[in-house]
Amino acid sequence: QFIPPYTEECRTGMYPPNGPTFRGAVSWYTVDLDLPPSKRWTAVITDKKTDLIEMIQAIKDLANAFVPSGKLIELVDIMLPLMVDTLPNPFSDEIKGIAAVSGIPLGEVVLFNIFYEVFTV
Amino acid sequence: CTSVVAEDNKGNLVHGRNLDFGLFMGWDVKNKSWIISEKLKPLVVNLDFKRNNQTVFKSTNFAGYVGMLTGIKPHIFTLTMNERFSLDGGYIGILEWILGQRDGMWMSFLTRSVLENANSYEEAKTRLAQTKLLAPAYFILGGNQTGQGCIITRSRLLSIDILEIDLKLGRWYVLETNYDHWKEPFFLDDRRTPAKKCMNQTTQTNISLKTIYDVLSTKPVLNKLTTYTTLMQVSEGSLESYIRDCPNPCMPW
């Protein structure tokens, strides 16, 4: 168990979650699909804004580590807002709503939402 | 990621998943952890999507991400998605999108649309298998009847393979990490073998949400990339999730 890949004996009795592998429970929120798409995420984002800003800053720091000139982030902030309107609704309007509530530049919220496809790069 | 759908010997279907993310996106030497994985953990939320004040589906998500990676349509189906690596990957889909070819779907928008609009396991399976994507993926789908559990291996354009639970063959669960099930996993990242060993050791008689949590808590199925574990039971319509840590020694992936 002390050499990679650190395979353990099959764990038992881990539930209910406890101990060092359990960091914490997860909060519940309601997303009302009857609201306009731009308003649906207001409650979640109002609560999580600070963590979201921190996470996006971490990605920006990483991008700057690769491209110190800051050009990569500029590209994200200039190009991806142009792309948001090509995304299908309701996703496009929901992403705009998240950017408005969080204050995070729209391009960076778009990047977060298409990250799975971008990550393959 | 690791996703598993299992049928116990009373015909109940349970679905569990570890969401692993942040590989090679900055290693924090002091804390021995991935920077982005740690930044994602506080963003984990459980969401109840409602229309006319009725629950349409529930999901575990990262705040700010409008697509879906983990979800349940209560009493109808459960769905998770794992990443699939391919040279014909998402960057080609993005390029096509920028060049104006927009008949493909962004992966997590497809899962969100299926959770929101599909009304049966078969309908969900058809849509996940046949909709053109911008990036390859694995979709792990559970239903509400015996035998309804499958792994859909997708390229961007095709459904390459669908592996289903088959009790007659003794296949009472299907389990996916990040490699095609008919191939050996990458030798430096074999989470499949230990996960399957623990599932087989648990046996169909004892499989439940609790024991799936045990399997998903066993290193290296639990690793430094694991941000959360979600457990779903379609017959109960229940979804519960837990933010995870992997104390040292622990595999970085």
Side-chain angles (χ1 to χ4, degrees), chain B residues 40-55:
Chain B
L40 283 171
K41 289 179 184 178
L43 290 173
V44 178
V45 287
N46 285 333
L47 301 172
D48 188 340
F49 286 81
K50 293 194 173 188
R51 190 179 287 128
N52 302 321
N53 214 25
Q54 295 293 311
T55 295

Side-chain angles (χ1 to χ4, degrees), chain A residues 11-92:
Chain A
R11 306 301 302 265
T12 58
M14 299 295 282
Y15 191 97
N18 59 84
T21 66
F22 170 53
R23 167 141 348 153
V26 175
S27 312
W28 276 93
Y29 295 84
T30 294
V31 177
D32 184 350
L33 295 172
D34 293 320
L35 286 176
S38 58
K39 301 295 182 204
R40 292 174 181 170
W41 296 91
T42 303
V44 177
I45 299 303
T46 303
D47 247 21
K48 294 289 186 180
K49 180 164 47 176
T50 310
D51 297 313
L52 187 55
I53 290 169
E54 261 196 48
M55 191 276 291
I56 292 218
Q57 185 57 51
I59 292 179
K60 288 165 83 169
D61 294 345
L62 195 63
N64 280 337
F66 283 99
V67 182
S69 65
K71 289 287 182 216
L72 195 54
I73 304 217
E74 247 179 71
L75 187 69
V76 165
D77 286 340
I78 292 169
M79 295 302 287
L80 289 188
L82 304 176
M83 194 175 166
V84 74
D85 287 322
T86 69
L87 298 179
N89 261 320
F91 307 110
S92 168

Side-chain angles (χ1 to χ4, degrees), chain A residues 10 15 23 34 94 113 116, chain B residues 38 52 66 112 136 198 240:
Chain A
C10 299
Y15 191 97
R23 167 141 348 153
D34 293 320
E94 288 187 6
N113 276 275
Y116 178 74
Chain B
E38 291 305 307
N52 302 321
V66 300
R112 159 88 181 260
C198 294
E240 54 191 89

Side-chain angles (χ1 to χ4, degrees), chain B residues 48-148:
Chain B
D48 188 340
F49 286 81
K50 293 194 173 188
R51 190 179 287 128
N52 302 321
N53 214 25
Q54 295 293 311
T55 295
V56 177
F57 69 97
K58 293 186 274 190
S59 163
T60 304
N61 225 5
F62 295 116
Y65 192 75
V66 300
M68 297 299 132
L69 305 174
T70 305
I72 179 171
K73 193 148 189 147
H75 314 295
I76 299 178
F77 62 84
T78 54
L79 173 61
T80 57
M81 173 272 156
N82 289 15
E83 183 174 11
R84 183 170 184 258
F85 311 116
S86 164
L87 276 178
D88 180 9
Y91 58 99
I92 294 176
I94 290 177
L95 208 54
E96 287 180 349
W97 188 273
I98 289 170
L99 295 174
Q101 190 178 329
R102 301 196 181 137
D103 55 349
M105 257 193 114
W106 301 82
M107 176 280 299
S108 67
F109 294 169
L110 174 60
T111 47
R112 159 88 181 260
S113 172
V114 165
L115 279 163
E116 206 163 316
N117 304 309
N119 293 303
S120 71
Y121 169 82
E122 291 303 332
E123 183 186 345
K125 188 165 73 168
T126 303
R127 290 189 57 185
L128 292 165
Q130 295 180 6
T131 305
K132 182 183 175 186
L133 287 170
L134 267 71
Y138 299 104
F139 297 122
I140 300 91
L141 183 67
N144 59 11
Q145 292 170 45
T146 179
Q148 288 187 339

Side-chain angles (χ1 to χ4, degrees), chain B residues 82-86 125 128-130 133 135-141 150-164 175-183 192:
Chain B
N82 289 15
E83 183 174 11
R84 183 170 184 258
F85 311 116
S86 164
K125 188 165 73 168
L128 292 165
Q130 295 180 6
L133 287 170
Y138 299 104
F139 297 122
I140 300 91
L141 183 67
C150 69
I151 299 167
I152 303 169
T153 300
R154 283 294 315 264
S155 71
R156 292 190 316 112
L157 303 177
L158 300 171
S159 174
I160 298 176
D161 177 84
I162 297 180
L163 177 70
E164 293 219 89
L175 186 143
E176 179 57 53
T177 55
N178 299 97
Y179 303 95
D180 297 348
H181 67 79
W182 61 92
K183 297 177 193 170
R192 181 199 297 167

